[in-house]
Amino acid sequence: MNHYRPYRPLLDKLRAAGLRPTRQRLALARLMFESGMTRHVTAETLHNEAMASNVSVSLATVYNTLHQFTEGGLLREVVVDPGRSYFDTNTTSHHHFYFEETGVLVDIPATDVAIARLPEIPDGATVRSVDLIIRLAAAA
């Protein structure tokens, strides 16, 4: 008999990232990935969503889980300021618009950006990636 498990894709996703699918990881993965849409969330935003969904989890656990998801390749961390990071479900190569007043982050396809020249790379180093954040202010 074949039993359908509604969370099977998320369980498989966590396991493929090398993560044990604990109750809290699965609950947070559902919030992050179940809609199938690209999301940019802060730990605080996800914590608020978890509480609103009756998922009992501490803010510290949310931070730890988001970093574990990032290390497992499920998310990409976008640091917009020293104390403000977003976690992006789109892990492909791309850039961002950042609306400073609202805190909204919007994807820019990598193909829409052309960087003509990079500075000379220090000896022994290689470029791993280039992350561009275009900061926007509201129109006057």
Side-chain angles (χ1 to χ4, degrees), residues 6 14 24 38 61 73-74 76 82-83 89-91 97 107 111 132 137:
L14 292 173
Q24 290 175 322
T38 297
T61 297
L74 301 176
R76 179 176 169 191
T89 57
N90 179 357
T91 59
F97 286 119
D107 287 351
T111 55
L132 176 66

Side-chain angles (χ1 to χ4, degrees), residues 84-105:
R84 187 165 181 87
S85 290
Y86 287 79
F87 294 86
D88 189 349
T89 57
N90 179 357
T91 59
T92 65
S93 178
H94 67 284
H95 307 285
H96 293 95
F97 286 119
Y98 177 62
F99 292 85
E100 292 180 323
E101 284 84 12
T102 61
V104 172
L105 205 60

